[in-house]
Amino acid sequence: MTRVSGDPADRSDERRVRRGPFDEPRHSAKVPVSDAIASLLARPDEIMLEVGAGGELLVARLRAVIAGLLLLLPLANMLGGGTLRGTLIGLAGAVLVNVCAQIWLPLARRSRRYRWLPFATSAFDVTAASAVLVVIAAHDVPAALNNPVVWCGYLLAILLTALRGDGRTTLLAGALVLLQYGALAAFALVSTPAEALASSEHGIVTWATQLQRLVLLAAGTLITAMVVYRMQRLVEMSGTDGLTRLPNRTWLLHRIPRLLRTAREEGGSLTLALINLDHFKRVNDEAGHNVGDRVLRHVVSVLRDGAEPGEWLVRLGGEEFVLVMRKPIGTSWERVDALRRLVAGRPFELDRGADFMRVTFSAGLAGYPHEGTDLSSLLSRADQRLQQAKREGRNRVVARDC
């Protein structure tokens, strides 16, 4: 890096940086409600999806265990003096839930392959509870609407969505619960004679009690959604570089396998560029680490200005970055070289009115699948070419071995 004089009009690091593909969500101490809602409605990031996949499998296993325990409820009903019809209905429902639980379990082991699975299983959990209540209500309305056991199935269905780590499944489950249970309660209260709404065993079904239950279900949905949101924030922070707000090595380790798998299935190309700022240690030694941090943010802002869709910039650490592109290595070389010229042509201003510091970088490229089939082999090949670029004088991009 060398200092050069420049026109104040070229002080691009002072300009407002537009948002682009390299941008990551900004963290702040105070989060508006609208941001929380937007986060819950958005598709989780790659790390959260991996966490959610494990959560989906855990939910499937819990569902299988809970379904097995449900087989005990008809027996308890019979031993407690319940009617034969009620016992048979409960047994049929428990058997059906067990069969479905065994169907969902193998699918959950490959849940990342089936993006619809968390939504389908969440809807199933809610609808299964509603179906049992409908069957019970057909014979005894108070037993259905004042049933403390089956009604808790709704809360379980909502709470289990927290393990999936996807706010969309929580909101879907909550909306289905309110819609299905609200429709069942309203239909029963409107169409059932007053004398049939009273039971010596289950009490009286009233609008007030059913409204209270709906409020509790809504509160359960809201609390679960906030738990999911906090989980997403914590995981997002673990995959984001604190200085540049770029994805970090953790994010890359989770994201690359998916990108490689997609490229393999679609027959596409993927290129990884390992980027290293030239003589960055000299900046830290001579100007201090605070200036070094500002230089890093300046370079990232310039790269964001030149970003294109389908590219991911990741900070590995220090002055080292990785740029992932869905392009063959030849086209990628042109892209990275254009970014190199862009960075070199946008000097960094040390202080307002002071001289400018010219920043350059060197890069080495590696392409999938011919030069590596996993992150480790691609990084190794890219690093070899990066070292070659440094030996040849820096401020250059190398995509072929000597």
Side-chain angles (χ1 to χ4, degrees), residues 329-361:
I329 195 165
T331 306
S332 296
W333 181 89
E334 295 176 356
R335 277 287 303 135
V336 178
D337 197 59
L339 291 173
R340 179 191 62 81
R341 294 193 302 270
L342 182 64
V343 170
R346 301 254 190 111
F348 168 72
E349 185 181 18
L350 286 170
D351 292 297
R352 187 174 297 277
D355 289 341
F356 290 88
M357 177 184 292
R358 185 167 179 263
V359 184
T360 63
F361 70 73

PDB file of all heavy atoms in Angstrom, residues 329-361:
ATOM      1  N   ILE A 329     -13.921 -20.528 -14.068  1.00  0.00           N
ATOM      2  CA  ILE A 329     -12.745 -19.835 -13.562  1.00  0.00           C
ATOM      3  C   ILE A 329     -12.283 -18.712 -14.485  1.00  0.00           C
ATOM      4  O   ILE A 329     -11.790 -17.678 -14.023  1.00  0.00           O
ATOM      5  CB  ILE A 329     -11.600 -20.847 -13.299  1.00  0.00           C
ATOM      6  CG1 ILE A 329     -10.514 -20.197 -12.434  1.00  0.00           C
ATOM      7  CG2 ILE A 329     -11.045 -21.404 -14.600  1.00  0.00           C
ATOM      8  CD1 ILE A 329      -9.552 -21.197 -11.841  1.00  0.00           C
ATOM      9  N   GLY A 330     -12.464 -18.869 -15.805  1.00  0.00           N
ATOM     10  CA  GLY A 330     -12.060 -17.805 -16.729  1.00  0.00           C
ATOM     11  C   GLY A 330     -12.867 -16.537 -16.530  1.00  0.00           C
ATOM     12  O   GLY A 330     -12.314 -15.431 -16.414  1.00  0.00           O
ATOM     13  N   THR A 331     -14.185 -16.688 -16.466  1.00  0.00           N
ATOM     14  CA  THR A 331     -15.057 -15.527 -16.227  1.00  0.00           C
ATOM     15  C   THR A 331     -14.809 -14.941 -14.843  1.00  0.00           C
ATOM     16  O   THR A 331     -14.841 -13.717 -14.651  1.00  0.00           O
ATOM     17  CB  THR A 331     -16.527 -15.938 -16.366  1.00  0.00           C
ATOM     18  OG1 THR A 331     -16.729 -16.567 -17.632  1.00  0.00           O
ATOM     19  CG2 THR A 331     -17.446 -14.731 -16.255  1.00  0.00           C
ATOM     20  N   SER A 332     -14.538 -15.799 -13.884  1.00  0.00           N
ATOM     21  CA  SER A 332     -14.277 -15.337 -12.516  1.00  0.00           C
ATOM     22  C   SER A 332     -12.994 -14.517 -12.455  1.00  0.00           C
ATOM     23  O   SER A 332     -12.904 -13.542 -11.701  1.00  0.00           O
ATOM     24  CB  SER A 332     -14.196 -16.531 -11.566  1.00  0.00           C
ATOM     25  OG  SER A 332     -15.426 -17.218 -11.500  1.00  0.00           O
ATOM     26  N   TRP A 333     -11.981 -14.929 -13.231  1.00  0.00           N
ATOM     27  CA  TRP A 333     -10.743 -14.149 -13.251  1.00  0.00           C
ATOM     28  C   TRP A 333     -11.020 -12.720 -13.716  1.00  0.00           C
ATOM     29  O   TRP A 333     -10.509 -11.758 -13.139  1.00  0.00           O
ATOM     30  CB  TRP A 333      -9.710 -14.798 -14.184  1.00  0.00           C
ATOM     31  CG  TRP A 333      -8.420 -14.039 -14.222  1.00  0.00           C
ATOM     32  CD1 TRP A 333      -7.344 -14.205 -13.413  1.00  0.00           C
ATOM     33  CD2 TRP A 333      -8.098 -12.949 -15.105  1.00  0.00           C
ATOM     34  NE1 TRP A 333      -6.360 -13.293 -13.718  1.00  0.00           N
ATOM     35  CE2 TRP A 333      -6.789 -12.507 -14.756  1.00  0.00           C
ATOM     36  CE3 TRP A 333      -8.768 -12.310 -16.144  1.00  0.00           C
ATOM     37  CZ2 TRP A 333      -6.166 -11.457 -15.423  1.00  0.00           C
ATOM     38  CZ3 TRP A 333      -8.137 -11.265 -16.801  1.00  0.00           C
ATOM     39  CH2 TRP A 333      -6.856 -10.855 -16.460  1.00  0.00           C
ATOM     40  N   GLU A 334     -11.851 -12.578 -14.748  1.00  0.00           N
ATOM     41  CA  GLU A 334     -12.190 -11.242 -15.239  1.00  0.00           C
ATOM     42  C   GLU A 334     -12.908 -10.442 -14.156  1.00  0.00           C
ATOM     43  O   GLU A 334     -12.658  -9.240 -13.984  1.00  0.00           O
ATOM     44  CB  GLU A 334     -13.066 -11.355 -16.488  1.00  0.00           C
ATOM     45  CG  GLU A 334     -12.357 -11.997 -17.677  1.00  0.00           C
ATOM     46  CD  GLU A 334     -13.290 -12.191 -18.862  1.00  0.00           C
ATOM     47  OE1 GLU A 334     -14.500 -11.892 -18.723  1.00  0.00           O
ATOM     48  OE2 GLU A 334     -12.826 -12.636 -19.921  1.00  0.00           O
ATOM     49  N   ARG A 335     -13.818 -11.097 -13.412  1.00  0.00           N
ATOM     50  CA  ARG A 335     -14.548 -10.399 -12.353  1.00  0.00           C
ATOM     51  C   ARG A 335     -13.607  -9.936 -11.253  1.00  0.00           C
ATOM     52  O   ARG A 335     -13.653  -8.789 -10.807  1.00  0.00           O
ATOM     53  CB  ARG A 335     -15.608 -11.335 -11.745  1.00  0.00           C
ATOM     54  CG  ARG A 335     -16.881 -11.387 -12.521  1.00  0.00           C
ATOM     55  CD  ARG A 335     -17.698 -10.114 -12.364  1.00  0.00           C
ATOM     56  NE  ARG A 335     -18.004  -9.838 -10.979  1.00  0.00           N
ATOM     57  CZ  ARG A 335     -17.900  -8.660 -10.416  1.00  0.00           C
ATOM     58  NH1 ARG A 335     -17.467  -7.621 -11.115  1.00  0.00           N
ATOM     59  NH2 ARG A 335     -18.225  -8.468  -9.144  1.00  0.00           N
ATOM     60  N   VAL A 336     -12.757 -10.839 -10.768  1.00  0.00           N
ATOM     61  CA  VAL A 336     -11.877 -10.487  -9.658  1.00  0.00           C
ATOM     62  C   VAL A 336     -10.854  -9.437 -10.095  1.00  0.00           C
ATOM     63  O   VAL A 336     -10.530  -8.519  -9.335  1.00  0.00           O
ATOM     64  CB  VAL A 336     -11.166 -11.748  -9.120  1.00  0.00           C
ATOM     65  CG1 VAL A 336     -10.209 -11.378  -7.981  1.00  0.00           C
ATOM     66  CG2 VAL A 336     -12.189 -12.756  -8.621  1.00  0.00           C
ATOM     67  N   ASP A 337     -10.367  -9.531 -11.325  1.00  0.00           N
ATOM     68  CA  ASP A 337      -9.415  -8.534 -11.799  1.00  0.00           C
ATOM     69  C   ASP A 337     -10.080  -7.162 -11.922  1.00  0.00           C
ATOM     70  O   ASP A 337      -9.450  -6.141 -11.658  1.00  0.00           O
ATOM     71  CB  ASP A 337      -8.832  -8.956 -13.154  1.00  0.00           C
ATOM     72  CG  ASP A 337      -7.552  -8.198 -13.490  1.00  0.00           C
ATOM     73  OD1 ASP A 337      -6.589  -8.281 -12.701  1.00  0.00           O
ATOM     74  OD2 ASP A 337      -7.537  -7.497 -14.527  1.00  0.00           O
ATOM     75  N   ALA A 338     -11.348  -7.148 -12.323  1.00  0.00           N
ATOM     76  CA  ALA A 338     -12.075  -5.874 -12.377  1.00  0.00           C
ATOM     77  C   ALA A 338     -12.230  -5.293 -10.976  1.00  0.00           C
ATOM     78  O   ALA A 338     -12.092  -4.073 -10.772  1.00  0.00           O
ATOM     79  CB  ALA A 338     -13.445  -6.086 -13.027  1.00  0.00           C
ATOM     80  N   LEU A 339     -12.498  -6.157  -9.971  1.00  0.00           N
ATOM     81  CA  LEU A 339     -12.588  -5.691  -8.589  1.00  0.00           C
ATOM     82  C   LEU A 339     -11.231  -5.196  -8.097  1.00  0.00           C
ATOM     83  O   LEU A 339     -11.152  -4.215  -7.343  1.00  0.00           O
ATOM     84  CB  LEU A 339     -13.104  -6.817  -7.688  1.00  0.00           C
ATOM     85  CG  LEU A 339     -14.566  -7.230  -7.889  1.00  0.00           C
ATOM     86  CD1 LEU A 339     -14.896  -8.467  -7.063  1.00  0.00           C
ATOM     87  CD2 LEU A 339     -15.516  -6.090  -7.529  1.00  0.00           C
ATOM     88  N   ARG A 340     -10.157  -5.868  -8.519  1.00  0.00           N
ATOM     89  CA  ARG A 340      -8.810  -5.434  -8.140  1.00  0.00           C
ATOM     90  C   ARG A 340      -8.545  -4.012  -8.646  1.00  0.00           C
ATOM     91  O   ARG A 340      -8.032  -3.155  -7.905  1.00  0.00           O
ATOM     92  CB  ARG A 340      -7.775  -6.406  -8.716  1.00  0.00           C
ATOM     93  CG  ARG A 340      -6.323  -6.033  -8.398  1.00  0.00           C
ATOM     94  CD  ARG A 340      -5.352  -6.875  -9.206  1.00  0.00           C
ATOM     95  NE  ARG A 340      -5.522  -6.661 -10.639  1.00  0.00           N
ATOM     96  CZ  ARG A 340      -5.016  -5.644 -11.318  1.00  0.00           C
ATOM     97  NH1 ARG A 340      -4.322  -4.701 -10.688  1.00  0.00           N
ATOM     98  NH2 ARG A 340      -5.212  -5.533 -12.619  1.00  0.00           N
ATOM     99  N   ARG A 341      -8.901  -3.756  -9.909  1.00  0.00           N
ATOM    100  CA  ARG A 341      -8.695  -2.419 -10.468  1.00  0.00           C
ATOM    101  C   ARG A 341      -9.587  -1.397  -9.773  1.00  0.00           C
ATOM    102  O   ARG A 341      -9.186  -0.242  -9.571  1.00  0.00           O
ATOM    103  CB  ARG A 341      -8.979  -2.433 -11.976  1.00  0.00           C
ATOM    104  CG  ARG A 341      -7.986  -3.282 -12.773  1.00  0.00           C
ATOM    105  CD  ARG A 341      -8.101  -3.012 -14.269  1.00  0.00           C
ATOM    106  NE  ARG A 341      -9.451  -3.266 -14.760  1.00  0.00           N
ATOM    107  CZ  ARG A 341      -9.871  -4.440 -15.217  1.00  0.00           C
ATOM    108  NH1 ARG A 341      -9.045  -5.475 -15.233  1.00  0.00           N
ATOM    109  NH2 ARG A 341     -11.102  -4.588 -15.662  1.00  0.00           N
ATOM    110  N   LEU A 342     -10.800  -1.827  -9.404  1.00  0.00           N
ATOM    111  CA  LEU A 342     -11.722  -0.918  -8.716  1.00  0.00           C
ATOM    112  C   LEU A 342     -11.158  -0.503  -7.360  1.00  0.00           C
ATOM    113  O   LEU A 342     -11.179   0.671  -6.991  1.00  0.00           O
ATOM    114  CB  LEU A 342     -13.087  -1.604  -8.537  1.00  0.00           C
ATOM    115  CG  LEU A 342     -14.188  -0.779  -7.864  1.00  0.00           C
ATOM    116  CD1 LEU A 342     -14.557   0.436  -8.709  1.00  0.00           C
ATOM    117  CD2 LEU A 342     -15.419  -1.646  -7.611  1.00  0.00           C
ATOM    118  N   VAL A 343     -10.645  -1.463  -6.601  1.00  0.00           N
ATOM    119  CA  VAL A 343     -10.074  -1.164  -5.287  1.00  0.00           C
ATOM    120  C   VAL A 343      -8.835  -0.278  -5.431  1.00  0.00           C
ATOM    121  O   VAL A 343      -8.667   0.702  -4.693  1.00  0.00           O
ATOM    122  CB  VAL A 343      -9.730  -2.472  -4.551  1.00  0.00           C
ATOM    123  CG1 VAL A 343      -8.908  -2.177  -3.285  1.00  0.00           C
ATOM    124  CG2 VAL A 343     -10.999  -3.225  -4.179  1.00  0.00           C
ATOM    125  N   ALA A 344      -7.973  -0.617  -6.388  1.00  0.00           N
ATOM    126  CA  ALA A 344      -6.759   0.177  -6.591  1.00  0.00           C
ATOM    127  C   ALA A 344      -7.084   1.601  -7.015  1.00  0.00           C
ATOM    128  O   ALA A 344      -6.327   2.537  -6.731  1.00  0.00           O
ATOM    129  CB  ALA A 344      -5.869  -0.496  -7.641  1.00  0.00           C
ATOM    130  N   GLY A 345      -8.198   1.788  -7.704  1.00  0.00           N
ATOM    131  CA  GLY A 345      -8.573   3.118  -8.178  1.00  0.00           C
ATOM    132  C   GLY A 345      -9.356   3.935  -7.183  1.00  0.00           C
ATOM    133  O   GLY A 345      -9.731   5.076  -7.479  1.00  0.00           O
ATOM    134  N   ARG A 346      -9.610   3.394  -5.993  1.00  0.00           N
ATOM    135  CA  ARG A 346     -10.335   4.127  -4.947  1.00  0.00           C
ATOM    136  C   ARG A 346      -9.454   4.236  -3.706  1.00  0.00           C
ATOM    137  O   ARG A 346      -9.578   3.437  -2.769  1.00  0.00           O
ATOM    138  CB  ARG A 346     -11.632   3.403  -4.589  1.00  0.00           C
ATOM    139  CG  ARG A 346     -12.595   3.210  -5.756  1.00  0.00           C
ATOM    140  CD  ARG A 346     -13.772   4.142  -5.661  1.00  0.00           C
ATOM    141  NE  ARG A 346     -14.797   3.776  -6.644  1.00  0.00           N
ATOM    142  CZ  ARG A 346     -15.975   3.274  -6.359  1.00  0.00           C
ATOM    143  NH1 ARG A 346     -16.302   3.061  -5.098  1.00  0.00           N
ATOM    144  NH2 ARG A 346     -16.843   2.987  -7.315  1.00  0.00           N
ATOM    145  N   PRO A 347      -8.509   5.172  -3.652  1.00  0.00           N
ATOM    146  CA  PRO A 347      -7.603   5.292  -2.498  1.00  0.00           C
ATOM    147  C   PRO A 347      -8.367   5.571  -1.206  1.00  0.00           C
ATOM    148  O   PRO A 347      -9.474   6.109  -1.206  1.00  0.00           O
ATOM    149  CB  PRO A 347      -6.697   6.466  -2.867  1.00  0.00           C
ATOM    150  CG  PRO A 347      -6.835   6.610  -4.356  1.00  0.00           C
ATOM    151  CD  PRO A 347      -8.220   6.188  -4.685  1.00  0.00           C
ATOM    152  N   PHE A 348      -7.739   5.187  -0.108  1.00  0.00           N
ATOM    153  CA  PHE A 348      -8.318   5.394   1.212  1.00  0.00           C
ATOM    154  C   PHE A 348      -7.772   6.685   1.813  1.00  0.00           C
ATOM    155  O   PHE A 348      -6.557   6.915   1.818  1.00  0.00           O
ATOM    156  CB  PHE A 348      -7.965   4.213   2.123  1.00  0.00           C
ATOM    157  CG  PHE A 348      -8.270   4.442   3.570  1.00  0.00           C
ATOM    158  CD1 PHE A 348      -9.582   4.461   4.036  1.00  0.00           C
ATOM    159  CD2 PHE A 348      -7.238   4.666   4.481  1.00  0.00           C
ATOM    160  CE1 PHE A 348      -9.859   4.681   5.371  1.00  0.00           C
ATOM    161  CE2 PHE A 348      -7.507   4.888   5.822  1.00  0.00           C
ATOM    162  CZ  PHE A 348      -8.827   4.892   6.262  1.00  0.00           C
ATOM    163  N   GLU A 349      -8.663   7.530   2.302  1.00  0.00           N
ATOM    164  CA  GLU A 349      -8.266   8.809   2.904  1.00  0.00           C
ATOM    165  C   GLU A 349      -7.957   8.589   4.389  1.00  0.00           C
ATOM    166  O   GLU A 349      -8.823   8.164   5.164  1.00  0.00           O
ATOM    167  CB  GLU A 349      -9.378   9.838   2.757  1.00  0.00           C
ATOM    168  CG  GLU A 349      -8.986  11.210   3.258  1.00  0.00           C
ATOM    169  CD  GLU A 349     -10.134  12.215   3.121  1.00  0.00           C
ATOM    170  OE1 GLU A 349     -11.281  11.773   2.974  1.00  0.00           O
ATOM    171  OE2 GLU A 349      -9.867  13.415   3.174  1.00  0.00           O
ATOM    172  N   LEU A 350      -6.730   8.867   4.782  1.00  0.00           N
ATOM    173  CA  LEU A 350      -6.328   8.664   6.171  1.00  0.00           C
ATOM    174  C   LEU A 350      -7.133   9.540   7.126  1.00  0.00           C
ATOM    175  O   LEU A 350      -7.707   9.064   8.101  1.00  0.00           O
ATOM    176  CB  LEU A 350      -4.834   8.954   6.330  1.00  0.00           C
ATOM    177  CG  LEU A 350      -3.887   7.888   5.766  1.00  0.00           C
ATOM    178  CD1 LEU A 350      -2.467   8.403   5.764  1.00  0.00           C
ATOM    179  CD2 LEU A 350      -3.987   6.615   6.597  1.00  0.00           C
ATOM    180  N   ASP A 351      -7.193  10.817   6.846  1.00  0.00           N
ATOM    181  CA  ASP A 351      -7.974  11.771   7.619  1.00  0.00           C
ATOM    182  C   ASP A 351      -8.515  12.809   6.653  1.00  0.00           C
ATOM    183  O   ASP A 351      -7.999  12.980   5.542  1.00  0.00           O
ATOM    184  CB  ASP A 351      -7.120  12.462   8.695  1.00  0.00           C
ATOM    185  CG  ASP A 351      -6.700  11.492   9.790  1.00  0.00           C
ATOM    186  OD1 ASP A 351      -7.593  10.963  10.481  1.00  0.00           O
ATOM    187  OD2 ASP A 351      -5.479  11.262   9.921  1.00  0.00           O
ATOM    188  N   ARG A 352      -9.565  13.500   7.073  1.00  0.00           N
ATOM    189  CA  ARG A 352     -10.164  14.501   6.203  1.00  0.00           C
ATOM    190  C   ARG A 352      -9.118  15.557   5.814  1.00  0.00           C
ATOM    191  O   ARG A 352      -8.487  16.175   6.657  1.00  0.00           O
ATOM    192  CB  ARG A 352     -11.346  15.177   6.896  1.00  0.00           C
ATOM    193  CG  ARG A 352     -12.141  16.117   5.989  1.00  0.00           C
ATOM    194  CD  ARG A 352     -13.374  16.619   6.706  1.00  0.00           C
ATOM    195  NE  ARG A 352     -14.280  15.525   7.026  1.00  0.00           N
ATOM    196  CZ  ARG A 352     -15.165  15.019   6.172  1.00  0.00           C
ATOM    197  NH1 ARG A 352     -15.220  15.493   4.928  1.00  0.00           N
ATOM    198  NH2 ARG A 352     -15.961  14.035   6.538  1.00  0.00           N
ATOM    199  N   GLY A 353      -8.916  15.701   4.511  1.00  0.00           N
ATOM    200  CA  GLY A 353      -7.962  16.673   4.009  1.00  0.00           C
ATOM    201  C   GLY A 353      -6.539  16.158   3.943  1.00  0.00           C
ATOM    202  O   GLY A 353      -5.645  16.874   3.491  1.00  0.00           O
ATOM    203  N   ALA A 354      -6.293  14.923   4.392  1.00  0.00           N
ATOM    204  CA  ALA A 354      -4.930  14.382   4.387  1.00  0.00           C
ATOM    205  C   ALA A 354      -4.680  13.626   3.091  1.00  0.00           C
ATOM    206  O   ALA A 354      -5.549  13.531   2.216  1.00  0.00           O
ATOM    207  CB  ALA A 354      -4.733  13.462   5.593  1.00  0.00           C
ATOM    208  N   ASP A 355      -3.457  13.088   2.973  1.00  0.00           N
ATOM    209  CA  ASP A 355      -3.117  12.306   1.792  1.00  0.00           C
ATOM    210  C   ASP A 355      -3.948  11.032   1.734  1.00  0.00           C
ATOM    211  O   ASP A 355      -4.541  10.612   2.724  1.00  0.00           O
ATOM    212  CB  ASP A 355      -1.630  11.945   1.800  1.00  0.00           C
ATOM    213  CG  ASP A 355      -0.751  13.156   1.544  1.00  0.00           C
ATOM    214  OD1 ASP A 355      -1.285  14.155   1.018  1.00  0.00           O
ATOM    215  OD2 ASP A 355       0.445  13.091   1.879  1.00  0.00           O
ATOM    216  N   PHE A 356      -3.943  10.427   0.551  1.00  0.00           N
ATOM    217  CA  PHE A 356      -4.667   9.185   0.344  1.00  0.00           C
ATOM    218  C   PHE A 356      -3.699   8.016   0.367  1.00  0.00           C
ATOM    219  O   PHE A 356      -2.524   8.139   0.017  1.00  0.00           O
ATOM    220  CB  PHE A 356      -5.412   9.209  -0.993  1.00  0.00           C
ATOM    221  CG  PHE A 356      -6.576  10.159  -1.005  1.00  0.00           C
ATOM    222  CD1 PHE A 356      -6.407  11.493  -1.346  1.00  0.00           C
ATOM    223  CD2 PHE A 356      -7.840   9.716  -0.675  1.00  0.00           C
ATOM    224  CE1 PHE A 356      -7.476  12.363  -1.354  1.00  0.00           C
ATOM    225  CE2 PHE A 356      -8.926  10.577  -0.689  1.00  0.00           C
ATOM    226  CZ  PHE A 356      -8.743  11.907  -1.025  1.00  0.00           C
ATOM    227  N   MET A 357      -4.220   6.859   0.768  1.00  0.00           N
ATOM    228  CA  MET A 357      -3.441   5.635   0.783  1.00  0.00           C
ATOM    229  C   MET A 357      -3.991   4.703  -0.294  1.00  0.00           C
ATOM    230  O   MET A 357      -5.172   4.342  -0.275  1.00  0.00           O
ATOM    231  CB  MET A 357      -3.529   4.963   2.158  1.00  0.00           C
ATOM    232  CG  MET A 357      -2.798   3.624   2.243  1.00  0.00           C
ATOM    233  SD  MET A 357      -3.040   2.839   3.862  1.00  0.00           S
ATOM    234  CE  MET A 357      -2.130   3.974   4.914  1.00  0.00           C
ATOM    235  N   ARG A 358      -3.152   4.339  -1.224  1.00  0.00           N
ATOM    236  CA  ARG A 358      -3.567   3.440  -2.291  1.00  0.00           C
ATOM    237  C   ARG A 358      -3.554   2.000  -1.767  1.00  0.00           C
ATOM    238  O   ARG A 358      -2.555   1.531  -1.234  1.00  0.00           O
ATOM    239  CB  ARG A 358      -2.646   3.569  -3.495  1.00  0.00           C
ATOM    240  CG  ARG A 358      -3.077   2.753  -4.713  1.00  0.00           C
ATOM    241  CD  ARG A 358      -2.286   3.200  -5.939  1.00  0.00           C
ATOM    242  NE  ARG A 358      -2.643   2.438  -7.133  1.00  0.00           N
ATOM    243  CZ  ARG A 358      -1.960   1.392  -7.586  1.00  0.00           C
ATOM    244  NH1 ARG A 358      -0.866   1.003  -6.940  1.00  0.00           N
ATOM    245  NH2 ARG A 358      -2.341   0.758  -8.679  1.00  0.00           N
ATOM    246  N   VAL A 359      -4.674   1.318  -1.932  1.00  0.00           N
ATOM    247  CA  VAL A 359      -4.835  -0.044  -1.428  1.00  0.00           C
ATOM    248  C   VAL A 359      -4.926  -0.999  -2.605  1.00  0.00           C
ATOM    249  O   VAL A 359      -5.663  -0.746  -3.565  1.00  0.00           O
ATOM    250  CB  VAL A 359      -6.094  -0.178  -0.549  1.00  0.00           C
ATOM    251  CG1 VAL A 359      -6.190  -1.574   0.046  1.00  0.00           C
ATOM    252  CG2 VAL A 359      -6.111   0.882   0.535  1.00  0.00           C
ATOM    253  N   THR A 360      -4.193  -2.099  -2.530  1.00  0.00           N
ATOM    254  CA  THR A 360      -4.264  -3.120  -3.579  1.00  0.00           C
ATOM    255  C   THR A 360      -4.407  -4.491  -2.935  1.00  0.00           C
ATOM    256  O   THR A 360      -4.183  -4.661  -1.736  1.00  0.00           O
ATOM    257  CB  THR A 360      -3.002  -3.107  -4.461  1.00  0.00           C
ATOM    258  OG1 THR A 360      -1.867  -3.428  -3.657  1.00  0.00           O
ATOM    259  CG2 THR A 360      -2.804  -1.745  -5.118  1.00  0.00           C
ATOM    260  N   PHE A 361      -4.786  -5.458  -3.738  1.00  0.00           N
ATOM    261  CA  PHE A 361      -4.842  -6.822  -3.224  1.00  0.00           C
ATOM    262  C   PHE A 361      -4.347  -7.805  -4.275  1.00  0.00           C
ATOM    263  O   PHE A 361      -4.297  -7.513  -5.472  1.00  0.00           O
ATOM    264  CB  PHE A 361      -6.253  -7.198  -2.753  1.00  0.00           C
ATOM    265  CG  PHE A 361      -7.290  -7.356  -3.837  1.00  0.00           C
ATOM    266  CD1 PHE A 361      -7.283  -8.464  -4.698  1.00  0.00           C
ATOM    267  CD2 PHE A 361      -8.313  -6.424  -3.989  1.00  0.00           C
ATOM    268  CE1 PHE A 361      -8.257  -8.626  -5.678  1.00  0.00           C
ATOM    269  CE2 PHE A 361      -9.285  -6.579  -4.970  1.00  0.00           C
ATOM    270  CZ  PHE A 361      -9.256  -7.679  -5.813  1.00  0.00           C
TER     271      PHE A 361
END
